[in-house]
Amino acid sequence: MDSVPALDEPLKKVLGPATAKVMAEHLGLHTVGDLLHHYPRRYEERGQLTHLADLPMDEHVTVVAQVADARLHTFASSRAPRGKGQRLEVTITDGSGRLQLVFFGAGVHKPHKELLPGTRAMFAGKVSVFNRRLQLAHPAYELLRGDAEETVETWAGALIPIYPATAKLESWKIGKALQTVLPSAQEAADPLPGPLREGRGLVTLPEALLKIHRPHTKADIEEARARLKWDEAFVLQVALARRRHADAQLPAVPRRPRPDGILAAFDGRLPFTLTEGQRKVSEEIFADLATDHPMHRLLQGEVGSGKTMVALRAMLAVVDAGGQAAMLAPTEVLAQQHHRSVTEMMGDLAQGGMLGGADDATKVVLLTGSMGAAARRQALLDLATGEAGIVIGTHALIEDKVQFHDLGLVVVDEQHRFGVEQRDALRGKGKQPPHLLVMTATPIPRTVAMTVFGDLETSVLDQLPAGRSPIASHVVPAADKPHFLARAWERVREEVEKGHQAYVVCPRIGDEEDGAKAKKKSPEDEAEKRPPLAVLDTAEQLARGPLAGLRVDVLHGRMPPDDKDAVMRRFAAGKVDVLVATTVIEVGVNVPNATAMVIMDADRFGVSQLHQLRGRVGRGSAPGLCLLVTEMPEASPARQRLNAVASTLDGFELSRIDLEQRREGDVLGQAQSGTRSSLRMLAVIDDEEVIAEAREEAARIVASDPDLERLPALRTALDALLDEEREQYLEKG
């Protein structure tokens, strides 16, 4: 057994420095244990062919297929002017589709000899588009001769594991490296408590690792997957359960509204009745605020479901109880918008200390980075003295200079826009931990809420207030049917003629000096060789062309804050017909008279983002229209994504589609912590049952043994899952 490397042994010692360097840099694998947990993405059967019909664009793929034909062409080029340039075109097939491989120059000789019609091989390369057809240029390949002893031995029978790979390291090389470290799987400590594992009929961890990398049958793969999914779900849920347990031990000041205070006065003046959902969610929040440990609640609500109203009532309840409430918004545009709508909703209740203010009034202040010195000084003073019961601001609220008299509640709007450090810094400003309400208009499927926000209780607002209008959405295929685009601009004109307004959204501003940004091309850029459309260019072209005579203005993130605010005010006042903007309008912008939106290069936006953007229209009594303009071909995944957005207004359904497409890469806040996702086997959407059961088991175990003293192997697994960054991410969630 001496020769078996330990799980924490660096790969450099086992595989050599060159391979280890590529694994570390491109796959984030550093130790023998890391490599053992690098699971196959799928398996090919030696007797079967893979699906070429649905290859993803711009991804590194491995396919098993058969050569249909191979042709060598000669051509003239700058390097070979006398027609001596050589290009080998090989067509491979798998029964479902065909794919072209190309080799150039000196690289044609070996494949020309080896890739004869009828030959079967594994091919790995990056899928690109040439002449609107998918191809692999210079793919690496490994012939599958079937009779060669070494190949059969290496690939262990009929099932060939296909690993997530990179251009520098093909799947079969990863497979060979795994062959070397596989004996170490016997050393893996089992994090699942014995009774739990036996009760659920799961195989041991060493057995699962052997079966996932070297399965003999499909049943082996299923057994291994079932076990490894449980590990991931359970260890993660234990981490979250410990977090909830620790939070429940923290002290907080209970905040109960007075029966005759500012909340009662506010409710008494509401010109409409709250929806059933708003009432129910408010009751959940008030119950949390009345306890002596901090509320941690996630409020999800469809775009326009009235989350701001629920948040404002929670803030007023805290003001009633003598505390202060802070609302954190991701952009200045949104902070100003919230401040405007809150002061409008409150009327003289927001004029505390001022002439004409109501008896129960408080002050509502705005704090952003671009405020003038005098206004800023006054706002800081009002917060420190407690004069201001409510503050609305951007990350400027987090700065050291900002002191609160008695911070009782923090409301975070559009949670996904904030780093956890920012939320944590604001929470640290209370004398005792303040209550926390996190709001998002990006609907999160229940399983993701249990996984990502597992330390937050969840409330959902799924009813739209009365008076909201339906939004019709259509895909406009500009390349296939240019006349559809012309019609789109006619529709915008028609809406303006009816007295309404419109948005045109573009992915880019258009005055970028930053060359680095321009160089990073998305798959679609590579395919179409065109930079994304820009606000400044588009606005100019529209004002001169199809929208000539209309009042067109622009809005983007690099404008000075006062200019942005001025544009939004002009648009809200109806002095601008068409606003050409970047995604700064994505959240919170509320102009009920805007009924149409045209999203240019819609394929460059994510599903959730498109849904958010679309939520800006149809906010009044007139129906909304959203046109998704794209040049991507009909069969492309990008078009399928847009068709999905056009086909439903259900944000939860779209978030499922979005998640399936993004492969849950950032489920654990990877976008915020910069680490690889820890979920390799667990599919958050499909494995709802496993996650729910793991959550129950985890809660039970943590309740009886919060420090996991009786489960040392589980503690070790927890340490491995939660490297420091991720531990902080969970702590600050």
Side-chain angles (χ1 to χ4, degrees):
M1 282 302 282
D2 295 347
S3 61
V4 172
L7 294 184
D8 55 5
E9 184 94 8
L11 287 172
K12 196 159 53 182
K13 287 190 179 172
V14 186
L15 303 175
T19 306
K21 185 170 185 249
V22 176
M23 286 196 170
E25 285 176 7
H26 295 275
L27 296 169
L29 308 175
H30 303 277
T31 64
V32 167
D34 290 346
L35 181 54
L36 284 172
H37 288 290
H38 186 71
Y39 308 133
R41 182 172 279 168
R42 56 192 171 81
Y43 301 84
E44 290 300 351
E45 292 182 69
R46 203 176 291 285
Q48 257 192 355
L49 295 166
T50 103
H51 276 289
L52 291 180
D54 38 65
L55 287 180
M57 255 305 296
D58 203 45
E59 281 213 11
H60 210 85
V61 299
T62 303
V63 296
V64 175
Q66 191 161 345
V67 176
D69 69 68
R71 296 195 177 137
L72 192 61
H73 303 272
T74 53
F75 60 90
S77 72
S78 55
R79 286 190 187 167
R82 291 198 296 276
K84 293 284 174 63
Q86 290 193 310
R87 181 176 79 247
L88 176 66
E89 290 179 3
V90 178
T91 305
I92 58 173
T93 178
D94 66 349
S96 78
R98 296 162 88 80
L99 179 66
Q100 190 168 51
L101 318 176
V102 288
F103 301 87
F104 293 99
V108 306
H109 304 309
K110 185 168 177 268
H112 190 217
K113 281 209 299 268
E114 293 183 336
L115 298 179
L116 304 171
T119 309
R120 296 198 58 239
M122 277 192 287
F123 301 93
K126 202 174 198 180
V127 183
S128 59
V129 168
F130 182 71
N131 280 346
R132 298 188 89 79
R133 284 173 60 198
L134 294 182
Q135 69 168 26
L136 299 182
H138 282 281
Y141 62 88
E142 173 103 332
L143 301 179
L144 292 174
R145 298 196 175 86
D147 51 2
E149 201 50 47
E150 194 265 344
T151 315
V152 176
E153 182 51 42
T154 307
W155 300 107
L159 292 163
I160 304 169
I162 304 291
Y163 290 93
T166 79
K168 297 265 177 3
L169 198 65
E170 294 87 14
S171 170
W172 51 87
K173 288 184 183 160
I174 296 171
K176 285 175 180 167
L178 267 150
Q179 192 73 12
T180 311
V181 302
L182 207 51
S184 306
Q186 296 302 339
E187 307 296 303
D190 203 321
L192 289 193
L196 189 157
R197 184 176 62 70
E198 286 148 23
R200 296 193 171 273
L202 299 168
V203 298
T204 62
L205 182 56
E207 191 181 337
L209 289 170
L210 284 171
K211 285 183 168 174
I212 201 78
H213 292 297
R214 292 291 171 268
H216 291 294
T217 62
K218 287 185 176 166
D220 284 354
I221 299 170
E222 287 315 305
E223 279 186 5
R225 278 189 172 150
R227 165 60 215 248
L228 295 168
K229 277 179 182 181
W230 248 94
D231 274 19
E232 284 180 13
F234 179 69
V235 174
L236 179 56
Q237 292 301 337
V238 167
L240 293 164
R242 290 183 73 194
R243 196 59 255 135
R244 289 194 300 277
H245 184 269
D247 282 339
Q249 316 304 312
L250 290 174
V253 180
R255 311 278 180 175
R256 294 182 185 86
R258 299 199 315 274
D260 56 350
I262 189 170
L263 177 63
F266 175 77
D267 283 352
R269 306 163 171 217
L270 278 180
F272 52 83
T273 51
L274 297 173
T275 65
E276 185 54 42
Q278 284 174 318
R279 271 205 301 278
K280 183 176 131 294
V281 169
S282 289
E283 277 160 23
E284 291 171 351
I285 291 171
F286 292 152
D288 284 357
L289 289 173
T291 61
D292 55 9
H293 59 86
M295 163 171 85
H296 285 101
R297 189 167 283 280
L298 171 70
L299 172 57
Q300 306 185 49
E302 276 288 11
V303 176
S305 57
K307 292 185 300 300
T308 311
M309 174 59 72
V310 169
L312 176 55
R313 294 183 74 237
M315 293 196 288
L316 294 174
V318 169
V319 172
D320 257 351
Q324 291 168 294
M327 183 184 242
L328 190 57
T331 64
E332 295 216 349
V333 169
L334 189 52
Q336 285 161 339
Q337 179 103 18
H338 274 320
H339 182 254
R340 255 200 311 277
S341 60
V342 163
T343 47
E344 279 166 18
M345 283 195 271
M346 286 175 65
D348 60 1
L349 290 171
Q351 293 168 6
M354 290 183 244
L355 213 58
D359 294 346
D360 288 306
T362 186
K363 236 182 188 182
V364 179
V365 300
L366 175 70
L367 191 63
T368 64
S370 65
M371 283 169 72
R376 186 180 172 75
R377 253 197 318 276
Q378 186 59 51
L380 290 173
L381 185 66
D382 288 342
L383 287 177
T385 59
E387 188 82 10
I390 293 176
V391 58
I392 295 168
T394 55
H395 53 269
L397 280 176
I398 295 163
E399 291 167 11
D400 293 342
K401 290 194 202 77
V402 181
Q403 298 297 327
F404 289 86
H405 177 66
D406 179 15
L407 180 61
L409 169 67
V410 174
V411 178
V412 180
D413 193 19
E414 288 309 324
Q415 180 279 335
H416 63 286
R417 299 273 186 117
F418 285 100
V420 283
E421 286 73 17
Q422 292 170 304
R423 296 211 303 274
D424 201 47
L426 188 53
R427 277 168 64 183
K429 288 188 177 289
K431 293 187 177 70
Q432 283 196 320
H435 298 281
L436 175 69
L437 179 64
V438 169
M439 300 199 297
T440 177
T442 308
I444 302 162
R446 175 172 166 262
T447 44
V448 182
M450 285 195 297
T451 310
V452 184
F453 300 105
D455 56 343
L456 299 176
E457 299 298 325
T458 304
S459 297
V460 178
L461 271 179
D462 46 13
Q463 280 173 292
L464 290 189
R468 277 302 166 89
S469 301
I471 305 169
S473 307
H474 304 284
V475 177
V476 178
D480 311 353
K481 298 178 178 162
H483 60 287
F484 275 36
L485 183 58
R487 177 72 189 115
W489 301 126
E490 282 171 25
R491 283 293 287 113
V492 169
R493 272 189 175 286
E494 286 163 17
E495 288 300 310
V496 173
E497 278 159 19
K498 289 182 200 163
H500 298 307
Q501 293 158 279
Y503 298 98
V504 176
V505 182
C506 302
R508 210 161 53 92
I509 296 173
D511 59 357
E512 286 83 355
E513 294 115 39
D514 184 352
K517 273 188 184 159
K519 275 183 208 141
K520 275 193 78 173
K521 288 199 162 53
S522 73
E524 285 85 350
D525 293 2
E526 291 292 353
E528 304 298 317
K529 294 285 181 282
R530 170 174 75 63
L533 290 171
V535 165
L536 301 177
D537 310 339
T538 304
E540 199 180 318
Q541 287 160 11
L542 291 175
R544 281 207 317 263
L547 302 184
L550 301 187
R551 297 168 298 174
V552 176
D553 212 336
V554 299
L555 179 71
H556 59 74
R558 279 215 296 277
M559 288 163 65
D562 290 349
D563 294 2
K564 278 192 274 198
D565 197 39
V567 170
M568 274 317 299
R569 280 176 191 276
R570 283 203 302 278
F571 189 62
K575 292 175 183 166
V576 172
D577 297 321
V578 179
L579 185 61
V580 183
T582 55
T583 54
V584 288
I585 61 154
E586 181 184 344
V587 284
V589 172
N590 184 22
V591 180
N593 191 43
T595 53
M597 176 178 285
V598 181
I599 303 179
M600 307 303 291
D601 283 340
D603 45 85
R604 317 229 177 191
F605 298 97
V607 170
S608 296
Q609 207 173 19
L610 290 169
H611 182 57
Q612 285 273 23
L613 285 166
R614 169 171 65 184
R616 302 299 117 219
V617 295
R619 298 177 80 84
S621 52
L625 171 70
C626 179
L627 301 173
L628 307 167
V629 179
T630 177
E631 292 188 357
M632 293 307 284
E634 197 164 349
S636 62
R639 273 286 279 281
Q640 289 160 12
R641 202 166 65 226
L642 296 181
N643 290 340
V645 174
S647 68
T648 178
L649 290 171
D650 180 341
F652 284 93
E653 179 53 34
L654 287 173
S655 66
R656 287 180 76 96
I657 294 166
D658 193 23
L659 203 70
E660 282 160 2
Q661 294 211 326
R662 284 186 298 125
R663 298 211 177 104
E664 298 138 9
D666 54 2
V667 151
L668 245 198
Q670 188 183 357
Q672 296 185 31
S673 70
T675 43
R676 290 166 73 240
S677 165
S678 62
L679 302 186
R680 299 188 180 92
M681 190 56 76
L682 196 67
V684 173
I685 288 289
D686 301 335
D687 298 320
E688 183 163 342
E689 220 170 279
V690 175
I691 293 170
E693 288 173 13
R695 186 179 165 102
E696 279 173 32
E697 292 278 9
R700 206 171 44 74
I701 281 169
V702 170
S704 66
D705 182 9
D707 294 328
L708 308 179
E709 283 166 1
R710 298 192 292 279
L711 298 165
L714 178 55
R715 284 193 71 142
T716 310
L718 211 53
D719 295 340
L721 168 81
L722 303 172
D723 50 40
E724 268 175 56
E725 280 185 284
R726 221 179 273 121
E727 173 80 68
Q728 285 168 355
Y729 172 75
L730 286 169
E731 274 190 7
K732 295 170 184 175

